[in-house]
Structure formats: structure tokens, C-alpha cells
């Protein structure tokens, strides 16, 4: 019986006592430790009724047990659904109702709040925490071997929610083949081996930290210094004994802001990779001047895994995202007609290949809008491709803000702000920010006769939205700037309020 993802990422490590996860508390888990822990967790999952294809919602901290839980989910043939720990109860209710999981796993401190939410869909709720939880207690008593459940390449391994321009989050269905094929290509492309030691400072509820970082390390047998959260001091301290860092651009600007980061500090490092948001050319250049390393920038999406990458050996050009990942097709098309454009023209990035997801969970119309019948996925990113195939991203056709590598969809925030009785209408947009790349600003038009109170509006928004989505600045206007079609001109707002 085969389970292609488990067989590639985990099975080969059974019995291996080499170090795998190095935790903040200094405890080092071998590959075999993690495999055995996953087996124990897998017994608990099946014991509470998780069957192949069932969704497991996970909103938990970044612990070695969370990694083992991901392995257990794959091993039992379940569909792993990780959620940002910053999401509010209101946000979680939507995801849980939409995905209809069999099991919800959360931090012990959130159990009381989430139990009724899980009950609404008939899901079991268990807890996972740094000091233990009901899932971990149950696992402690289980056998350390588990018969892997067979899964084919097209079966789902994960469901990752990504917000949309319509304001409703969509679950991107990722198959075993989607995840495995991309990890295999990236290991080759970036030359990851069992001699590598990755500094893992990203969250493990998104594509970057979970799939790009963890799947490639598992496949290559690399060691992972699993940081429970981003901490610049720890990152700098770990560098002399590590070889690899994967980060969002904010990691690199913060490193540059610290005098301890220099050539000597980075001497043992083999590769710095950046993605999830645009890396400024000036950051790329300053980083090279300081450390002697050229950051390798790559580009991807939740729905597609990694699409392009700068080369390992060739030129890593600042301000470009490199070439199509092998096995993945990339073309630039006319956003109106979908016709392929010649080299040098600005257009929409479309991609096709084993990396491209299976569609949006329970949303066939949304899937049809973004995934063409011929298999090309319309990314919403605008780029130009040079005649040698090198891609440079020049903008976005979708209304999206990226702050510190987190995607923020203005429509979702505008809907929440507009529901406030003092607000007639709002327009949310991003302005350049030195640390997070972009920061969120909300332009508000008050209801006639009402006064907008920034503080009260922020409290209202915070009840619905994760903290990282909240506007950092409110500006009250008499009217929003609109074009002749009545569409709000966010470029005008950006121009006026980018200071
Ligand atoms: C945290 N905060 C943010 C924020 N992160 N605000 C805006 N944007 C962000 N990204 C807020 C918190 O709510 C808090 O608010 C304050 O900032 C400090 O929080 P923190 O937790 O101490 O922040 P910090 O640890 O410094 O986080 C910064 C960061 C983090 C860059 C380390 O944002 C991060 O890990 N980003 C990575 C995101 C990621 O993994 N993206 C990949 C998506 S996958 P207050 O009010 O309490 O002070 C993808 C596909 C692909 O895009 O291609 O990879
Ligand atoms: P997500 O939906 O969280 O997967 O975010 C995907 C989006 O992040 C892409 O559609 C791009 O807009 C953006 N992105 C990812 N990597 C890069 C990059 N290297 N440069 C510019 N934008 C990027």
C-alpha cells in the first residue's frame, strides 16, 4: 500500500536516530522520535473517528508535536487544515463551518471558546499546547507504530485557506502530488541535503513555513532548528551553526538593522532564501554588501506552491523572481483575453503543472474563475518575462496588501468597517512600510450626522479580524476618490497617504 507523501517524507526516516528537530528548550528529537510520535498521534486521530479524507483543523503553537501532528495527519490519510494562531473566534467559526472537520485541535487556553464552535459541526475538540494538552495526553499511551493508510497522488493532503478579493476565504485543496512534486523540485534546485541545518523561524500554518521549509527538510533529511516564533536574537545566535534560512523580506530588513549581522556571522551559511512578498532590490544589494551572500528570491502562492525561483548557480538578480521551477509552466497573458504575450510585455502570470492545486473547497464557480480548463491557474500577479524566461513581478491585479508576508484582503476589512453604524463607506489600502513592506490604512467616510471615533472603530474591527489585518491608520474623508465608472481609486489614496 502506498501513501505517496508519507512514503517520501517520513517512511525513509523510520529508525534513523540522527538529529531532526532542535527545539528552543535545547531538546533534540531524532527523525525516529518524530516518526514514533506521529504514530502515537495517528492512533488518537483514528480513535476519535478520523477517516481518510476527513479534515483536521489545527490552530496550535509551533511545537515538535505540531510537526508530528502534520505527519500523523498525512499517515492517516486525513486532510490537514492549519490556521493562523492570530485568527479570532469569528474567523475560526467561518473556517470550521466551511470545512466541516471531524476534529478540531487548538491550544488549551482556547478550548472553552472553541468547544461550542466545534460542536456546531459535530467535530471532536482536542488540545495541543507547549505544556501538553488532551491530544498529547491521549497519544502518550498509544503504540509507536501505525499502519500507514494508502492514499493516491490526487487524494487531498491539506486544505489551506486563502482570503479572496470577494472577502470570503477559500480553501485551496492540495493533493499529495501537489506537495510532493514541488518539494522534490525545490530540494534539487536549492541543493538541500542531510548536511544542511535550517533556521526555521516562520509560522507553520502557511505554505512557506509548512511546505517549502518543512517538506524540503524532511525530503532531504536536513536538520531543523525549530524556533517557536520569530526572534532576531535567536536567529543571529543560531547562524554560525546553521546553513540555511528561509524567510519573508522582513527577516532580511531586520537582520540588516542589527549590527551583529555581518560577514563573519554568516560565514557558515550556504543559502538565504526570500519569498512571500517582494524583496526590495536595495535590501538585496545591502544584504550582499554586508554579508557577502546574494539572497535567492523565489515566488509562489498557496494555490500553486513555488512557481519561480532564482537559480542556485546562475545570477540571482535583485528585483526578479527567476525562472519557472522545473516541471512547472509559466506564461504571461493578456489579463483581459488570456492570450499569451511575447517576451517583454507586462501581463498576468499563469502557471500549470503538478504544483497547481485541485480547486477551492466547495466553490466550483470560484475554481472555474481562476483555474482554466486547460490547467493554467490565473495568479492575479502582474509580471514581465524576459526572452530567457526570467520573470520580474511588477504589480498585482488583485486588491491585496502583503504585510510581513501575511496576505490581507482589503475587501474583508472594508466589510467589517462598513458594518459599523458610524461608517458610510470605507476603502482599505496598503502604503509602503520599512519593516513590514506594506502597512494597512483605512479611508473612512462617516454616515451623515455621525462622527468616526478611531479607537471605537478599531475595537469593533478587532472583534472580527486578526490583529495583523487591523488598519494602523484611519483617515476620515468627505468622499472617496472614484473614477468615471464609480470605482474607488486606491492608487490615488496610496499616492496621497504614503508618507
Ligand atoms: C505581527 N504583527 C503584524 C504582523 N505580524 N502586523 C502586521 N503584519 C504582520 N505580518 C503584529 C502583531 O499583531 C503585534 O501587534 C505586533 O505586530 C508584534 O507581533 P509579533 O508577533 O511580535 O511580530 P513579529 O514576531 O515581529 O512578526 C513579524 C514577522 C511575522 C515578520 C516575523 O509577521 C511573520 O512571521 N511573518 C511571516 C508570514 C508568512 O509565513 N507568510 C507566508 C505565507 S505563504 P500588537 O498590536 O500586539 O503590537 C505565501 C506563499 C509564498 O505567501 O510564496 O510563500
Ligand atoms: P498567498 O496567497 O499567501 O500564498 O500569497 C501569495 C502571493 O504572495 C502571490 O500571489 C504574490 O502576490 C505574493 N508573493 C509571493 N512571493 C513573492 C515574491 N517573491 N515577490 C513578490 N510577491 C510575492
Amino acid at each position: 500500500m502506498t501513501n505517496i507523501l508519507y512514503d517520501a517524507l517520513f517512511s525513509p526516516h523510520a529508525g534513523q536516530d540522527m538529529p531532526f528537530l532542535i527545539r528552543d528548550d535545547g531538546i533534540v528529537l531524532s527523525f525516529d522520535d518524530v516518526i514514533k510520535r506521529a504514530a502515537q498521534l495517528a492512533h488518537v486521530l483514528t480513535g476519535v473517528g478520523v477517516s481518510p479524507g476527513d479534515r483536521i483543523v489545527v490552530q496550535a503553537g509551533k511545537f515538535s508535536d505540531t510537526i508530528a501532528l502534520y505527519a500523523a495527519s498525512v499517515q492517516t490519510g486525513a486532510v490537514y487544515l492549519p490556521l493562523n494562531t492570530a485568527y479570532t473566534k469569528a474567523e475560526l467559526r467561518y473556517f470550521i463551518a466551511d470545512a466541516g472537520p471531524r476534529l478540531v485541535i487548538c491550544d488549551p487556553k482556547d478550548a472553552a471558546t472553541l468547544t461550542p464552535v466545534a460542536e456546531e459541526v459535530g467535530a471532536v475538540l482536542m488540545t495541543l499546547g507547549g505544556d501538553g494538552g488532551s491530544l498529547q495526553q491521549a497519544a502518550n499511551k498509544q503504540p509507536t507504530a501505525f499502519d500507514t493508510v494508502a492514499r493516491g497522488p490526487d487524494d487531498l493532503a491539506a486544505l489551506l485557506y486563502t482570503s479572496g478579493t470577494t472577502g470570503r476565504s477559500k480553501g485551496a485543496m492540495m493533493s499529495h502530488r501537489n506537495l510532493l512534486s514541488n518539494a522534490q523540485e525545490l530540494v534539487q534546485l536549492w541543493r538541500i541535503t542531510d548536511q544542511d541545518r535550517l533556521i526555521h523561524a516562520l509560522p507553520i500554518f502557511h505554505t512557506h513555513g509548512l511546505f517549502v521549509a518543512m517538506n524540503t527538510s524532511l525530503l532531504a533529511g536536513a536538520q531543523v532548528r525549530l524556533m517557536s516564533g520569530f526572534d532576531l536574537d535567536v536567529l543571529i545566535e543560531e547562524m554560525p551553526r546553521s546553513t540555511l534560512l528561509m524567510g519573508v523580506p522582513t527577516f532580511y530588513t531586520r537582520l540588516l538593522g542589527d549590527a551583529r549581522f555581518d560577514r563573519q556571522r554568516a560565514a557558515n551559511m550556504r543559502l538565504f532564501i526570500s519569498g512571500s512578498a517582494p524583496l526590495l532590490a536595495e535590501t538585496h544589494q545591502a544584504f550582499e554588501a554586508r554579508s557577502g551572500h546574494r539572497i535567492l528570491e523565489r515566488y509562489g502562492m498557496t494555490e500553486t506552491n513555488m512557481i519561480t525561483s532564482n537559480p542556485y548557480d546562475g545570477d540571482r538578480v535583485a528585483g526578479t523572481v527567476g525562472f519557472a521551477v522545473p516541471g512547472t509552466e509559466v506564461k504571461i497573458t493578456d489579463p483581459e483575453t488570456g492570450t499569451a504575450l511575447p517576451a517583454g510585455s507586462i501581463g498576468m502570470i499563469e502557471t500549470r503543472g503538478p504544483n497547481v492545486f485541485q480547486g477551492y473547497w466547495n466553490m466550483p464557480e470560484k475554481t472555474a474563475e481562476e483555474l482554466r480548463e486547460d490547467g493554467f491557474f490565473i495568479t492575479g500577479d502582474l509580471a514581465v518575462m524576459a526572452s530567457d524566461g526570467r520573470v520580474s513581478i511588477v504589480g498585482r491585479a488583485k486588491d491585496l496588501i502583503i504585510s510581513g508576508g501575511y496576505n490581507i484582503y482589503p475587501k474583508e476589512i472594508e466589510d467589517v468597517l462598513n458594518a459599523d453604524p458610524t461608517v458610510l463607506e470605507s476603502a482599505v489600502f496598503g502604503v509602503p512600510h520599512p519593516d513590514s513592506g506594506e502597512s494597512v490604512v483605512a479611508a473612512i467616510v462617516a454616515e451623515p450626522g455621525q462622527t468616526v471615533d478611531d479607537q471605537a472603530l478599531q475595537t469593533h474591527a478587532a472583534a472580527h479580524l486578526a490583529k495583523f489585518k487591523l488598519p494602523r491608520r484611519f483617515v476620515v474623508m468627505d468622499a472617496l476618490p472614484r473614477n468615471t465608472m464609480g470605482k474607488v481609486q486606491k492608487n490615488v489614496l496610496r499616492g496621497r497617504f504614503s508618507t
Side-chain angles (χ1 to χ4, degrees), residues 276-278 297-302 321 381 393 398 402 407:
S276 308
E297 184 173 8
R298 76 358 171 233
Y299 153 71
M301 272 184 88
T302 301
V321 292
D381 292 308
I393 297 178
K398 51 193 173 192
I402 306 183
N407 285 8

Side-chain angles (χ1 to χ4, degrees), residues 203 206 208 230 250 254 276 298 300 403-406 467-468 472:
H206 284 314
H208 199 165
F230 180 87
T250 301
R254 288 192 185 177
S276 308
R298 76 358 171 233
S403 168
Y406 285 136
K467 234 175 179 179
F468 68 87
R472 301 288 139 158

Side-chain angles (χ1 to χ4, degrees), residues 342-366:
S345 328
I346 292 177
M348 178 72 75
I349 304 179
E350 296 196 25
T351 180
R352 174 166 73 179
N355 56 316
V356 174
F357 76 141
Q358 309 299 296
Y360 295 113
W361 178 259
N362 281 344
M363 288 188 182
E365 331 73 51
K366 287 272 156 218

Side-chain angles (χ1 to χ4, degrees), residues 84 86 160 201-210 212 229-231 247-251 254 274-277 298-307 402-408 435-436 438-440 466-470 472:
N84 194 323
L160 262 66
L202 289 160
I204 48 172
F205 41 70
H206 284 314
T207 295
H208 199 165
L210 185 61
V212 184
F230 180 87
D231 182 326
V248 295
T250 301
F251 284 23
R254 288 192 185 177
S274 177
S276 308
R298 76 358 171 233
Y299 153 71
M301 272 184 88
T302 301
E303 288 93 332
T304 60
N305 294 296
M306 297 307 99
I307 303 171
I402 306 183
S403 168
Y406 285 136
N407 285 8
I408 299 167
D435 181 53
S436 57
E438 285 183 280
S439 107
V440 182
K467 234 175 179 179
F468 68 87
K469 299 178 188 172
L470 298 178
R472 301 288 139 158

Side-chain angles (χ1 to χ4, degrees), residues 399-422:
D399 191 12
L400 163 70
I401 301 166
I402 306 183
S403 168
Y406 285 136
N407 285 8
I408 299 167
Y409 281 87
K411 178 72 167 68
E412 187 186 9
I413 301 163
E414 288 160 4
D415 286 349
V416 168
L417 297 176
N418 294 348
D420 187 279
T422 64

Side-chain angles (χ1 to χ4, degrees), residues 231-347:
D231 182 326
L232 190 61
D233 292 332
V234 177
L235 203 154
I236 287 176
E237 209 176 284
E238 291 291 343
M239 210 168 268
R241 39 184 179 273
S242 304
T243 62
L244 191 56
L245 177 69
M246 296 187 192
V248 295
T250 301
F251 284 23
Y252 295 106
T253 47
R254 288 192 185 177
L255 275 172
L256 283 170
D258 196 302
R260 290 171 295 175
F261 177 65
D262 58 11
R263 224 163 246 268
Q264 176 73 18
R265 180 70 58 175
N268 195 53
M269 290 292 288
R270 181 177 70 77
L271 186 58
F272 291 91
I273 300 174
S274 177
S276 308
L279 182 75
L280 293 178
E282 64 194 65
T283 307
H284 193 279
Q285 283 141 10
F287 198 88
E288 184 178 15
R290 176 87 72 87
S291 69
H293 286 274
R294 289 181 78 82
I295 298 174
L296 186 154
E297 184 173 8
R298 76 358 171 233
Y299 153 71
M301 272 184 88
T302 301
E303 288 93 332
T304 60
N305 294 296
M306 297 307 99
I307 303 171
T308 69
S309 170
N310 268 280
Y312 188 84
D313 284 328
D315 248 356
R316 299 177 196 165
V317 178
T320 82
V321 292
F323 305 94
V325 166
T328 302
E329 289 172 77
V330 175
K331 64 179 179 180
I332 306 295
T333 62
D334 181 327
E336 300 301 323
T337 63
T339 317
L341 294 174
S345 328
I346 292 177

